[in-house]
Amino acid sequence: MNTLETKAIEVTDLTVAYQEKPVLWDVDLDVPPGVLLAIVGPNGAGKTTLIKAILGLVRPAAGRVLIYEKPYPAQRRIVGYVPQRGSVDWDFPTNVLDVVMMGRYGNLGWIRRPGKAERELAMNALEKVGMQAYAERQISQLSGGQQQRVFLARALVQDATVYFMDEPFQGVDATTERAIVALLQELRANGKTVVVVHHDLQTVTDYFDWVMLLNIHRIASGPVEETFTSDNLRQTYGGRVAFMKN
Amino acid sequence: MKTLIPFNYTLIVVAIGSALLGIISGALGTYAVLRRQSLLGDAISHAALPGIAIAFLLTGSKTPLILVLGAALAGWLGTLLILSIIKLTRIKYDSALALVLSTFFGCGLVLHTLIQRTGNANQAGLDTFLFGQAASLLERDVLTMGILGGIALLIMSLFWKELKLLVFDEAFATSIGLPVRALDILLTSLLTVAIVLGLQAVGAVLMSAMLVAPAVAARQWTDRLAHMVLLAALFGAIAGVSGTVISSSASRIPTGPTIVLCATVIVGFSIALAPNRGLVWHWVRQRKNKARMQRHGKTTFTAQEKLAERLATDRKLLESPQREGDLEA
Amino acid sequence: MAIHQLEIQLIAIVVAVACALPGVFLVLRRMTLMSDAISHAILPGIVLAFFLTESLSSPLLILAAAGTGVLTVLVVELLQRTKLVKADAAIGLTFPALFSIGVILISRFAGNVHLDMDAVLLGELAYAHLNRLEVFGINLGPVSLYVMGTILVLNLTFILLFYKELKVATFDASLAASLGFAPALIHYGLMTLVSITTVGAFDAVGSILVVALIAGPPATAYLITDSLARMLILSAILGSVNAVSGYWLAHLFDVSIAGAIATTTLLMFGIIFLGVPERGVIAIARRRHRQKLEFAQTMLVIHLLNHEGLPEAAQESQVSHLQEHLRWEGQFAAQIVRYALENRCVSQANGQLALTARGRGIAQEALVQ
């Protein structure tokens, strides 16, 4: 942390609507560098949408997103992304190593093919997630937890400063969950910022040091011990939310 | 006639043309199959008819290049209409595709009868469009095919990793800054080129098979995209050549349908016998497992069997949520 | 209007309605492409039966072709069940193969019988009335009218009898199964109907354009109505209108009737697609514009409410600040402020916006918990 003022992520007045139906309303979020942030909220709270809007995958109706004080397109190289595991066809004809090397495509630029250097980076990343033995394995032969590890390895080779992960714990076994947590904590120890869409309220205090409570608009965000209060949780999950009538 | 099969110059030209077509459509069809757009080719090829008719009406020329341009344009327009219908209404992919395919073809038919009535063309034009006329391929046509197809394949290999990422994980591709819209358009354009080139040889009705069959067959033999594209091209070429040779060896066997049947035989062979995935091996494995289970009693599973079972359930879980635009059966 | 013109139009209407009714369920069940597959794949069935009967409208031919159609559905499903081939690819493999067999059979053996490919693929409605049904020397009208009439009655009966089952099986197959409705039976029943209808219709309109009759009117009706019953009726009406207007279009320009009907189907779809109230493209665009303004206005009042009474309020409520903060273009920001002022949601003084009671109400209502 060079200055206290620097923010890794700064979201201001972000509003997203699908077909004029609001999904996120006027959301503000400041994340300092080097924290492990969980975004929690009920189904349909806009957690995934928030990540997608930050990454420019959905176009916001209004608002601004800065990554280390610059808009996202200028900072692509320092951002890593782990999409939901179920968003791809795991029967696609490719192997583990190849998927992980896709994390280098952004740095490679057009037309250039991945080479030996990329291969090495990918193997290192696979070792970190405990999957080096599976490098040549066809991806359809992986279990859910292994698929998730492959996606994490792909994000690792992006060598990013800020990571966004969409439900990395979804449907993985206990071993993988522990491995992922260890990895996230290692990333934080190296000064990286990690934003995770998270479902399991039980584990928030154990795994994360920051939390954002979201239900279409931001309920609260900040350090877990201050923010993860029963009062805030009731506000996030309790009661029904009614928005614009049309 | 010295041999059973007369290897003359025309036959060689036609065989080379069919082989080229098989290579181009096999390679590019791989992407269509992987994106679950196997039937988009069918729509584009049918939608091309009004384009050909209008190109002819406007220019009065039967130059292949002009007709190809018209066909490509109409095929494109059809794809665009399909996409806007899905985007703007609740009509699903399959209905939009069927609607565009059949009604565009109908418009083409109207235009065609109009041309016929003015005495400008003969019925042969439409028959060629529907069924192709591989036997009529000239050296010039094969050259056009080779050049345009070569360019299409070159573009495909230049943007290899970008196209691969687009097909595998569009969200990730967007996040690292790839222009996915433009890549999507590029891929559909390449597909259109392959289809339009194939119209002359196998015709509109059967063109979709040339895109789908080699790719499906290739998928059974390999788990790598690069190998799949190469194998699909090879299978396409084999189907093209063998279909041409078979149809020339006897009278009154049309080339296009024979090529398609050859491709289908390759698919059947691959689905049955390809190592690992093939149905026969699957069946043999099942038999062995059953025998082993009976020997050990049902309670003791080997680690391998447990893994196999877990993989099977995982696969089921992955495949259970039907994708948008997928067909339910 | 000559009597044969009337007859042709009548045949066209009967064919269109007979196709549109099962088409509704195909469109709703996302299986429209199955009709494309069936209509092509029945060719070998037709050819083989034709070799036996030498007639295009014999019941045996219809049975053989319908059998091939159901066989196609079965093959496609078997292929899918191997998990080696995806649904769309399974269709794309099956029908060209069967169709190829049909084409080869025709060109190899049909040289001396009258069955040419154009008739199969394109049909010719203009000649459909020539084949007359004669009983004891009395001319009872065109055969195809009777054939298609029977098929229409069959379709109607099936749909009326199993309306409830079809409805449940279409919208919730697992519910249908739990209610004991045997969705598989309904599914194959429907596929048999589609096969029979396709065979009956290809004589008149050919196997490619029959898809237009099956998919077109139901897809168009789907844009207009939410109710299944209304969708069925509307599809029948739209199909008839397309058929008759297509006939006259063909008459006017002296072109293929079937092609012209497909063209009017496309035109009809286009008109409804663009113009239908509420769901048409034009209506959607208009509504989007209005909603965009209202939406932006709500955003503005919520923004003002969020910062009301806070130290930064003075800065956040500046008109010039909106551009930066809500990321609105200058013009758009001005438009929204004008819109909000007109609606008396905000008031403006010295370049600063303040919420009115009404505006605060709207903001709070939007944020109700």
Side-chain angles (χ1 to χ4, degrees), chain C residues 108-324:
Chain C
R108 188 99 176 97
F109 305 109
N112 33 10
V113 275
H114 174 76
L115 177 71
D116 68 295
M117 281 311 302
D118 286 355
V120 174
L121 271 178
L122 311 174
E124 194 36 273
L125 211 49
Y127 305 135
H129 68 285
L130 293 181
N131 191 0
R132 317 287 300 188
L133 182 69
E134 282 183 32
V135 179
F136 305 122
I138 306 162
N139 187 341
L140 291 175
V143 172
S144 49
L145 195 56
Y146 286 96
V147 175
M148 280 318 291
T150 313
I151 292 173
L152 174 59
V153 171
L154 188 71
N155 286 353
L156 255 179
T157 316
F158 181 82
I159 289 171
L160 288 178
L161 273 181
F162 299 106
Y163 183 76
K164 177 171 89 261
E165 287 80 358
L166 274 166
K167 192 172 176 175
V168 178
T170 299
F171 293 109
D172 190 346
S174 45
L175 176 67
S178 69
L179 291 174
F181 283 167
L185 212 65
I186 294 283
H187 172 66
Y188 277 99
L190 191 63
M191 286 301 144
T192 313
L193 278 196
V194 172
S195 303
I196 294 174
T197 312
T198 311
V199 194
F202 90 85
D203 192 16
V205 294
S207 57
I208 298 174
L209 297 173
V210 72
V211 178
L213 296 185
I214 289 177
T220 314
Y222 197 29
L223 293 176
I224 303 173
T225 179
D226 283 323
S227 125
L228 177 62
R230 246 178 259 144
M231 194 172 156
L232 282 163
I233 295 166
L234 211 56
S235 299
I237 295 171
L238 285 168
S240 312
V241 173
N242 293 342
V244 173
S245 51
Y247 173 79
W248 287 106
L249 181 76
H251 187 74
L252 200 64
F253 293 100
D254 189 17
V255 292
S256 145
I257 300 174
I261 293 177
T263 308
T264 53
T265 305
L266 181 62
L267 286 177
M268 177 69 85
F269 178 82
I271 292 167
I272 305 279
F273 179 50
L274 292 177
V276 69
E278 303 218 356
R279 289 208 195 102
V281 172
I282 296 170
I284 290 173
R286 273 212 195 127
R287 191 169 56 234
R288 285 243 171 109
H289 180 70
R290 207 193 56 237
Q291 279 180 341
K292 198 173 162 190
L293 290 178
E294 258 172 47
F295 185 65
Q297 174 186 286
T298 315
M299 242 157 67
L300 175 65
V301 292
I302 287 183
H303 177 73
L304 292 175
L305 184 74
N306 274 355
H307 299 287
E308 207 172 41
L310 295 171
E312 75 267 18
Q315 196 210 352
E316 294 278 347
S317 58
Q318 292 234 342
V319 176
S320 57
H321 187 76
L322 292 175
Q323 285 178 37
E324 193 206 328

Side-chain angles (χ1 to χ4, degrees), chain B residues 255-284:
Chain B
T255 317
T258 315
I259 294 177
V260 168
L261 282 186
C262 288
T264 310
V265 169
I266 297 177
V267 171
F269 182 75
S270 305
I271 286 181
L273 288 174
N276 291 326
R277 282 172 72 110
L279 288 179
V280 171
W281 308 129
H282 183 74
W283 181 74
V284 169

